[in-house]
Amino acid sequence: KRLILIGPPGSGKGTQSPIIKDEYCLCHLATGDMLRAAVAAKTPLGIKAKETMEKGELVSDDLVVGIIDEAMKKPSCQKGFILDGFPRTVEQAQKLDEMLQKQGTKIDKVLDFAIDDSILEERITGRWIHAASGRSYHTKFAPPKVPGIDDVTGEPLMQRKDDTAEVLKSRLQAFHKQTKPVIDYYNTKGVVATLPAEKPPKEVTAEMQKVLSS
Ligand code: AP5
Ligand code: ZN
């Protein structure tokens, strides 16, 4: 399957991705995770993206399209993929269509993580991540077995620099202005399934599985 996950910051994209990834053996491409890795490694790409990400704004279309174009060439992504956090502008969606057209494939489903903005601050400010894998935890909703420690690797967890109430406001603004139109773009193609992202994680997973098996 070729899937896109769209939703505002904190809507649960990164939480649900590994579950479908395991179930359908797909590659999981999260542009936010890839950009954070580039920032941490201080690559030329990371140096360009750092400030924009810390402000909660979108990095340039060319930059992320380049990352995705490169990543999709991996053999593990040929049978199918989950795009988490991409495309985020109509321009990115059009570029993706061009890439897929060249391969003679197309998107099967766009999962729209629908949720009210008011719920997101608590989710974002309570989040802790394992930087290397992108695994998300939450102090209240999904606590790790040992506070501050990743369940799988035993490595320390950290908070994202953009996970403050202040930066969340810009991220939400970018979502409504630039990413909402992407949902409309895919609606015209009839591939969007809306998920009740405000429900507990297990219920969201169940809804997602229902959509994907139909
Ligand atoms: P990115 O990393 O994609 O961040 P985002 O879109 O803001 O999304 P998040 O990762 O914050 O949310 P999520 O939906 O994954 O939430 P999660 O599952 O972790 O992008 C970061 C930045 O990179 C952007 O601002 C931009 O600068 C740049 N960028 C990335 N892609 C780009 C692109 N294509 N174009 C341009 N720029 C780009 O859950 C959040 C928390 O809630 C966790 O603590 C979790 O445990 C908890 N939780 C999850 N589900 C539930 C639930 N159902 N109930 C209760 N708690 C829950
Ligand atoms: Zn995420």
Side-chain angles (χ1 to χ4, degrees), residues 10 12-15 30 32-33 36 84-85 127 134 136 160 171:
K13 306 178 295 291
T15 299
D33 291 348
R36 273 184 293 281
D84 162 0
R127 169 163 60 187
S136 282
R160 271 169 53 175
R171 290 161 66 194

Side-chain angles (χ1 to χ4, degrees), residues 49-189:
K50 185 171 191 281
E51 222 178 291
T52 314
M53 292 176 75
E54 285 174 5
K55 280 193 284 190
E57 293 167 8
L58 296 186
V59 307
S60 78
D61 288 333
D62 285 347
L63 228 151
V64 282
V65 168
I67 299 182
I68 286 289
D69 195 20
E70 200 48 49
M72 297 249 271
K73 288 180 187 146
K74 284 193 290 191
S76 60
C77 297
Q78 296 306 308
K79 274 200 240 151
F81 50 73
I82 305 163
L83 296 177
D84 162 0
F86 179 93
R88 249 178 157 93
T89 64
V90 171
E91 162 117 26
Q92 290 176 19
Q94 287 164 341
K95 288 273 166 60
L96 175 64
D97 273 350
E98 285 168 24
M99 274 183 233
L100 296 177
Q101 249 161 29
K102 277 188 207 148
Q103 300 179 2
T105 58
K106 60 183 176 51
I107 294 299
D108 295 305
K109 254 317 169 238
V110 173
L111 302 176
D112 165 19
F113 283 65
I115 188 163
D116 199 84
D117 282 3
S118 61
I119 303 177
L120 299 171
E121 186 177 321
E122 190 183 18
R123 287 206 190 169
I124 287 291
T125 54
R127 169 163 60 187
W128 287 78
I129 62 159
H130 176 242
S133 65
R135 253 187 302 283
S136 282
Y137 297 87
H138 192 283
T139 45
K140 184 164 153 195
F141 304 124
K145 291 190 188 103
V146 181
I149 300 293
D150 178 43
D151 287 354
V152 179
T153 62
E155 289 166 359
L157 302 176
M158 56 168 288
Q159 284 191 292
R160 271 169 53 175
K161 252 195 157 154
D162 59 349
D163 275 352
T164 62
E166 191 57 36
V167 180
L168 174 62
K169 284 188 199 135
S170 329
R171 290 161 66 194
L172 279 173
Q173 220 171 14
F175 175 77
H176 287 290
K177 210 168 139 201
Q178 293 167 279
T179 308
K180 269 280 177 75
V182 178
I183 301 175
D184 300 331
Y185 175 87
Y186 286 112
N187 258 325
T188 64
K189 297 176 187 281

